[in-house]
Amino acid sequence: SISLFRTSYSTVTQSRGAFPNLVGGRVWICQYMPAMSTYTPLYVGVSSLPPSYTRGSLFKYDRGSNYWSAASVGNWATRFYRYIRQDVEESQKTIEGHLMLQADMTDRTAMENLATGDMKGAEEVLKGQADLAAKVALDTWNGKCLNMT
C-alpha cells in the first residue's frame, strides 16, 4: 500500500517521449499520506520548485508547507474517519480533476512557446502552473483543517 499514515510523500512520474524534455518530464507529487492529500504536478525541466514544497521539517509544524497542511487534515480525518473521509475524497477529486485539466492546457501553452523558440517563456508557464497547483493544494487543505477544528 502507498497510503500508510507514515508516508512522507508519494510520486507518480511521467516520462512523455512525445514532448521535448522541458515539457515531457512531469512528476505528480503528493505530500503526506495519499488518501489524505492531493497529487500536484511539478515539471522536471524547471529551475525551481514552489516554496511550499521546499520548506519545512518533519519535526516542526509549518502552515506554509504542503506536507503539514495535508498532515493536519490527515490527523483529523483518521480520528473521525467515518465523518470526514467523504469531504476529503470530494476535495481530492475536485482538486486533482482541475489540476489534470490545467496541466494539459499548460503543456499546450508551453509547446506553443517552444514552437516560437521562446524557451524561457515555456519554462515560466510550467513554473507558473506548478506554483499555482501547489497553492491550490495548500490553501484547500489549510482551509479544510480550519473547518475541522
Side-chain angles (χ1 to χ4, degrees):
S1 173
I2 63 166
S3 195
L4 300 172
F5 71 91
R6 62 183 174 263
T7 303
S8 297
Y9 68 93
S10 172
T11 60
V12 175
T13 59
Q14 291 180 291
S15 301
R16 302 172 300 160
F19 290 96
N21 289 340
L22 181 66
V23 181
R26 185 164 60 192
V27 175
W28 293 83
I29 187 163
C30 176
Q31 297 282 44
Y32 190 61
M33 179 173 45
M36 302 294 162
S37 187
T38 306
Y39 281 94
T40 57
L42 302 175
Y43 290 86
V44 177
V46 299
S47 59
S48 64
L49 296 170
S52 59
Y53 281 106
T54 61
R55 66 185 283 172
S57 162
L58 291 177
F59 305 108
K60 183 178 178 195
Y61 176 79
D62 180 352
R63 186 172 167 77
S65 162
N66 279 79
Y67 172 82
W68 280 110
S69 72
S72 297
V73 169
N75 183 47
W76 283 100
T78 54
R79 283 165 175 57
F80 304 103
Y81 189 84
R82 181 187 319 176
Y83 307 105
I84 296 174
R85 178 65 194 139
Q86 185 176 354
D87 290 341
V88 171
E89 195 171 300
E90 287 173 13
S91 293
Q92 286 174 313
K93 287 179 182 177
T94 300
I95 295 167
E96 289 174 352
H98 174 74
L99 292 178
M100 285 181 192
L101 291 173
Q102 286 295 112
D104 289 342
M105 291 189 316
T106 298
D107 290 349
R108 284 193 293 277
T109 304
M111 290 298 290
E112 290 168 3
N113 284 334
L114 289 175
T116 64
D118 186 6
M119 180 77 115
K120 183 175 177 160
E123 184 176 348
E124 287 174 7
V125 166
L126 299 174
K127 184 181 177 328
Q129 169 58 22
D131 289 344
L132 178 62
K135 182 177 178 357
V136 166
L138 181 70
D139 291 349
T140 299
W141 297 126
N142 276 338
K144 284 285 180 196
C145 190
L146 289 175
N147 291 332
M148 290 179 196
T149 56

